[in-house]
Amino acid sequence: MDKKKIIVIDDVELNRAILGEAFKKEFEILQAENGALGLKLINENQNNLAAIFLDIIMPEMDGFGVLQELNINSLIQKIPVFLITTDATSAVIERAYDYGAVDVIPKPFNIMIIKRRVQNMIEFFEAKRQSDNGIAEIDQLLKMQREDLNNSVGTLVGHLCEVIESRSKEESSHADNVRLVTKALAEKFSSLHPEFGLKAEVIDTIANASIIHDIGKVFVRDEILLKPQKLSAEEMEVIKAAPAAGAKLLNGIQGIPEPFNTFSKEICRSHMERFDGSGYPEGLKGNQIPISAQLAGVAEAYDVLVSPRIYKKAYKHDEALKMILNGECGAFNPDILECLEKIAPDLAKEIYGSK
């Protein structure tokens, strides 16, 4: 097995020789007479470095210049750096620690003390490296498992939604259209409103969860679901109860992974809420409505308008956009409506194939 390496960066040859001699049995010693050459050696050997000895005052690039580059390259967290200096004042020591050096070693050297301090720090960094690698491997494994579960659950629920849509004589593409529009809306919303923290992984999960927005329709009788005429007040109450019933159904399913579980329930229960409190089933208002449900609610309204239904014809995309912006589908978050207006031309072309 190849030895780990230690780099000694000092413009004084004697200092390089003393430190090299002290560690040559356990480590391969590399030497550089200035900061620029030292930085080159560090970059070339970064994956096999145990430690760096770094002088402060040197030609071409001084020690603090090297430390600054190591910070920029994020190597300062991976390799212990020991600053060596004849000027071990409190100001120098404080600055060295601010730059990420693990210790300051004064000249002239006390080799016995140096070896003990350096060996302890090398062992600490190696243990930390192994721990970080183990955590990274576990995180990656958990991420893969979450993705597998999300895909499996999403596929299963997606098929269920297709069955529901076939009952209501709607196009089988409705659930997937809502997913695509939700994702496009969320991406634009995230770019304009980063304070909501909608990262790419969260957006994907919200979009995938949106396909189950209408799962509550399983509790609606065919004579209501398939009725081409305007619904009566009693029939509308059945429709208004469906989102909560769907969320209750999802709540009884064990093993749905997070955050898919949370987003799917939020969207199912609240996608018919409206920003002014006029929606259902709870009459939530403003940002009482989860942002996932707000996004899916706009996406669902848009797709319903531009797609044919048993009780209506399909509207053109510009007509649908105008109806939503004018509040004909209820009040939505103005910030999300701004996003819809910006992406509407792309939606028409890329999702619905309209020119």
Side-chain angles (χ1 to χ4, degrees):
M1 182 177 177
D2 292 339
K3 287 183 178 181
K4 284 278 191 176
K5 300 175 182 179
I6 286 178
I7 295 180
V8 183
I9 308 171
D10 194 315
D11 61 331
V12 178
E13 185 177 359
L14 178 60
N15 292 334
R16 300 199 303 269
I18 291 172
L19 291 172
E21 184 68 23
F23 291 94
K24 69 179 184 181
K25 288 185 179 179
E26 298 90 358
F27 302 95
E28 180 182 343
I29 308 299
L30 304 178
Q31 299 184 21
E33 61 188 26
N34 62 60
L37 291 175
L39 191 60
K40 183 174 183 294
L41 282 177
I42 291 169
N43 290 328
E44 291 172 350
N45 298 276
Q46 59 181 274
N47 294 325
N48 199 30
L49 282 182
I52 299 167
F53 289 104
L54 180 62
D55 189 23
I56 293 180
I57 302 173
M58 294 181 294
E60 294 195 42
M61 179 185 287
D62 67 8
F64 288 114
V66 175
L67 282 173
Q68 186 174 28
E69 289 296 322
L70 295 180
N71 275 276
I72 292 172
N73 297 331
S74 299
L75 293 178
I76 198 71
Q77 292 90 16
K78 301 175 183 178
I79 308 165
V81 179
F82 299 85
L83 215 61
I84 51 180
T85 180
T86 56
D87 183 24
T89 62
S90 59
V92 169
I93 293 172
E94 184 177 352
R95 189 181 180 196
Y97 289 150
D98 286 343
Y99 272 87
V102 297
D103 204 350
V104 177
I105 298 173
K107 300 176 185 177
F109 303 131
N110 184 323
I111 293 301
M112 184 178 70
I113 295 176
I114 290 173
K115 289 192 72 171
R116 177 64 60 88
R117 286 158 66 176
V118 170
Q119 190 61 47
N120 287 343
M121 193 56 67
I122 288 175
E123 290 174 0
F124 172 78
F125 266 70
E126 182 60 31
K128 181 178 181 295
R129 187 181 299 113
Q130 291 179 6
S131 176
D132 288 346
N133 288 341
I135 292 171
E137 289 177 5
I138 292 171
D139 283 346
Q140 183 61 28
L141 179 61
L142 290 174
K143 182 179 179 181
M144 292 171 63
Q145 290 176 339
R146 286 194 298 269
E147 288 176 350
D148 288 343
L149 281 169
N150 281 343
N151 291 336
S152 299
V153 173
T155 300
L156 176 62
V157 178
H159 288 322
L160 179 56
C161 287
E162 289 178 4
V163 172
I164 295 169
E165 288 164 9
S166 67
R167 278 185 64 217
S168 59
K169 308 302 182 189
E170 295 174 357
E171 293 185 0
S172 61
S173 60
H174 175 62
D176 198 48
N177 287 347
V178 170
R179 177 182 67 84
L180 294 172
V181 177
T182 298
K183 182 174 182 179
L185 272 175
E187 287 173 342
K188 176 59 70 175
F189 185 80
S190 176
S191 69
L192 297 179
H193 300 279
E195 67 273 13
F196 280 81
L198 297 183
K199 298 180 181 179
E201 185 175 327
V202 173
I203 289 172
D204 285 341
T205 306
I206 290 174
N208 289 334
S210 72
I211 63 175
I212 55 78
H213 65 281
D214 270 344
I215 199 171
K217 282 184 177 179
V218 73
F219 299 102
V220 179
R221 302 188 308 274
D222 280 353
E223 57 264 32
I224 296 176
L225 208 56
L226 304 179
K227 186 177 180 179
Q229 297 85 17
K230 184 178 179 180
L231 299 180
S232 67
E234 292 79 9
E235 291 167 336
M236 273 304 302
E237 289 305 311
V238 175
I239 293 294
K240 289 180 178 181
K248 185 177 180 180
L249 172 65
L250 290 173
N251 200 46
I253 300 175
Q254 300 297 315
I256 301 178
E258 291 293 355
F260 186 96
N261 181 42
T262 296
F263 289 142
S264 63
K265 292 173 186 175
E266 288 178 350
I267 291 170
C268 180
R269 186 176 187 85
S270 302
H271 73 282
M272 293 304 295
E273 301 285 1
R274 292 299 179 257
F275 211 64
D276 60 357
S278 63
Y280 58 85
E282 296 175 282
L284 299 180
K285 193 172 184 179
N287 283 325
Q288 291 178 330
I289 309 167
I291 194 64
S292 60
Q294 292 188 49
L295 292 163
V298 173
E300 199 264 351
Y302 184 81
D303 186 71
V304 166
L305 287 175
V306 299
S307 305
R309 291 292 183 268
I310 194 169
Y311 54 85
K312 61 171 275 296
K313 66 178 180 66
Y315 291 97
K316 294 182 179 180
H317 288 271
D318 56 348
E319 291 179 297
L321 177 62
K322 183 181 293 186
M323 291 170 71
I324 292 174
L325 295 178
N326 289 343
E328 295 180 46
C329 302
F332 293 104
N333 186 332
D335 292 333
I336 297 179
L337 293 184
E338 178 188 5
C339 296
L340 178 66
E341 194 169 12
K342 289 179 181 295
I343 67 171
D346 291 333
L347 293 181
K349 290 185 288 187
E350 295 174 11
I351 296 178
Y352 298 92
S354 301
K355 294 183 179 179

